Amino acid sequence: MNRTPLKRFGILKMALTGSETMDQDEQGETFIFRAVRIAAVVALYWFVSITMVFLNNYLLDNQDLDAPLFVTFYQCVVTVGLCWLMQLLSRLCPGLIDFPSVRFDVKTSREVLPLSIVFISMITFNNMCLKYVGVAFYTVGRSLSTVFNVLLSYVILKQTTSFQALLCCGIILGGFWLGVDQEGMAGSLSWSGVFFGVLASACVSLNAIYTKKVMPAVDGNIWKLSYYNNINACILFLPLILVFGELGRVVSFSRLTDLGFWGMMTLGGVFGFAIGYVTGLQIKYTSPLTHNVSGTAKACAQTVIAVVYNSSSKTLLWWTSNMMVLGGSSAYTWVKSLEMKKTPRKDPQDSAKEKLLSGEKGNMGV
């Protein structure tokens, strides 16, 4: 049996442009190739996401520089710079890289501003949570996004939720409280970290709602939205850095001229930009449901890596709390996917866009 040869340029083009159109060579791709491609995309998502979380934890846990707002501000600056770079590369190599050409427009920036306020709150509270609770408890500390999705959807959008989905939220809440209890018994609980985690979870849900509202202002393009969001964030962070006294801490920082420090800071920004791309890539080559399942499995692996890396000893109930949170989140995703199959959607890409912009960027972020 003759197999159609795969052109390396075609594969690279598909990976970089995210184009849904396949040429004749790509239509004949084998099952093995598709499986390997999906595995590679999932592995890339796991690598970028887990590395980003540990890298941000390293930057935020710096005892010599207590300036989480400045760290987040710098990552937004890097994201804006990378958007400009991608636009340039898109013009130089239009057949290889597909990135929208964006010229800054004050009117569009103003329309995106409400989302940007929620956005900077989300990434700031997310990073503050990561700073105080560490990577091991991070999954539980930031686990209430699903619960807030249900709550805010009812309060703001007047959307009701099925009993099965509410039951899943109950499991998540139970896992959250059990995790807090076990951290307290271990003597490692940070109430500040829990507080910021709850606020971050609420902002993630608000971010999803506001993202849908402002999408028409950027022609439905997620990269344009990221561009304006991060420009607005850079401007909004400046007065916050001054008000909270972080400018003085940055100026007096002993490693201010250390290229290694700035290299790590820039790398954090690069991974913050990359997470949006690899999240979209995973959704494209799998599905929103598979993306959520992959994210849940990634969170589990991330927790195990953190516990092993720190040589921590955790109780059975502590691990149970993590499994309740992850299991409840997975079950909620499964229940909602079944409900969505029964109810036709106007735009089949809405779910993918919401997941791309509402979740991992907070993990800078996301």
Side-chain angles (χ1 to χ4, degrees):
M1 182 177 64
N2 293 328
R3 294 182 178 179
T4 305
L6 296 169
K7 294 183 178 180
R8 285 180 290 179
F9 175 77
I11 298 170
L12 182 60
K13 179 181 175 181
M14 286 175 61
L16 290 175
T17 65
S19 173
E20 296 183 4
T21 305
M22 294 188 300
D23 57 28
Q24 286 185 331
D25 289 329
E26 292 163 340
Q27 287 176 352
E29 65 186 21
T30 64
F31 169 78
I32 294 177
F33 172 74
R34 289 195 299 271
V36 170
R37 182 178 62 194
I38 290 173
V41 168
V42 172
L44 180 63
Y45 167 78
W46 278 44
F47 170 75
V48 172
S49 182
I50 293 176
T51 303
M52 182 185 66
V53 171
F54 277 92
L55 184 57
N56 279 336
N57 179 247
Y58 167 80
L59 292 170
L60 295 163
D61 200 33
N62 193 323
Q63 301 299 321
D64 298 325
L65 179 63
D66 184 18
L69 292 176
F70 174 76
V71 172
T72 311
F73 159 76
Y74 184 80
Q75 291 181 339
C76 289
V77 172
V78 172
T79 297
V80 173
L82 287 172
C83 285
W84 287 337
L85 177 62
M86 291 297 288
Q87 289 183 64
L88 176 62
L89 292 176
S90 180
R91 286 195 295 268
L92 295 175
C93 310
L96 185 62
I97 297 176
D98 182 21
F99 199 89
S101 178
V102 185
R103 290 186 178 180
F104 184 78
D105 180 72
V106 175
K107 181 177 179 293
T108 304
S109 177
R110 190 165 55 244
E111 291 176 344
V112 176
L113 184 60
L115 172 64
S116 299
I117 294 172
V118 174
F119 173 73
I120 66 168
S121 300
M122 179 183 72
I123 58 178
T124 299
F125 292 142
N126 186 83
N127 281 352
M128 293 296 287
C129 172
L130 187 59
K131 174 181 173 66
Y132 286 107
V133 304
V135 179
F137 189 66
Y138 178 67
T139 299
V140 173
R142 271 270 284 101
S143 63
L144 298 185
S145 297
T146 301
V147 177
F148 278 110
N149 275 340
V150 172
L151 181 62
L152 293 175
S153 293
Y154 178 75
V155 173
I156 298 175
L157 305 176
K158 307 302 179 185
Q159 293 178 351
T160 56
T161 305
S162 67
F163 173 76
Q164 291 89 340
L166 289 175
L167 186 61
C168 296
C169 290
I171 295 173
I172 295 171
L173 276 171
F176 175 79
W177 285 115
L178 180 60
V180 170
D181 176 70
Q182 290 301 300
E183 281 288 297
M185 291 185 65
S188 55
L189 178 66
S190 167
W191 282 109
S192 296
V194 172
F195 176 69
F196 286 125
V198 172
L199 289 179
S201 299
C203 288
V204 166
S205 301
L206 282 173
N207 189 72
I209 293 172
Y210 276 95
T211 292
K212 239 186 165 181
K213 291 179 69 174
V214 304
M215 265 295 192
V218 291
D219 305 318
N221 191 289
I222 56 176
W223 289 116
K224 283 186 179 180
L225 184 62
S226 177
Y227 175 77
Y228 279 104
N229 231 352
N230 281 277
I231 285 183
N232 286 346
C234 290
I235 297 170
L236 292 171
F237 267 124
L238 290 174
L240 292 175
I241 290 172
L242 292 173
V243 169
F244 286 94
E246 290 194 2
L247 182 61
R249 297 174 210 161
V250 173
V251 172
S252 61
F253 182 47
S254 59
R255 296 178 58 195
L256 196 60
T257 58
D258 186 353
L259 293 179
F261 166 75
W262 288 108
M264 293 295 286
M265 288 278 285
T266 303
L267 191 61
V270 171
F271 273 90
F273 175 84
I275 191 63
Y277 180 77
V278 296
T279 299
L281 205 62
Q282 180 168 251
I283 291 172
K284 171 181 168 53
Y285 286 117
T286 57
S287 68
L289 174 60
T290 304
H291 166 66
N292 265 342
V293 173
S294 174
T296 301
K298 185 273 306 181
C300 182
Q302 180 177 285
T303 301
V304 172
I305 292 171
V307 171
V308 172
Y309 178 78
N310 294 318
S311 302
S312 304
S313 178
K314 302 296 183 182
T315 65
L316 178 61
L317 285 177
W318 188 92
W319 286 108
T320 301
S321 71
N322 279 265
M323 292 302 104
M324 288 177 67
V325 164
L326 296 172
S329 300
S330 296
Y332 178 85
T333 301
W334 180 66
V335 167
K336 296 301 288 185
S337 69
L338 292 179
E339 293 175 358
M340 290 169 70
K341 287 179 181 178
K342 296 176 182 177
T343 307
R345 293 175 297 171
K346 292 181 180 179
D347 184 354
Q349 292 186 354
D350 277 350
S351 177
K353 289 175 182 176
E354 281 187 34
K355 288 175 178 61
L356 176 59
L357 288 164
S358 67
E360 292 276 0
K361 186 59 180 177
N363 339 328
M364 255 175 66
V366 76

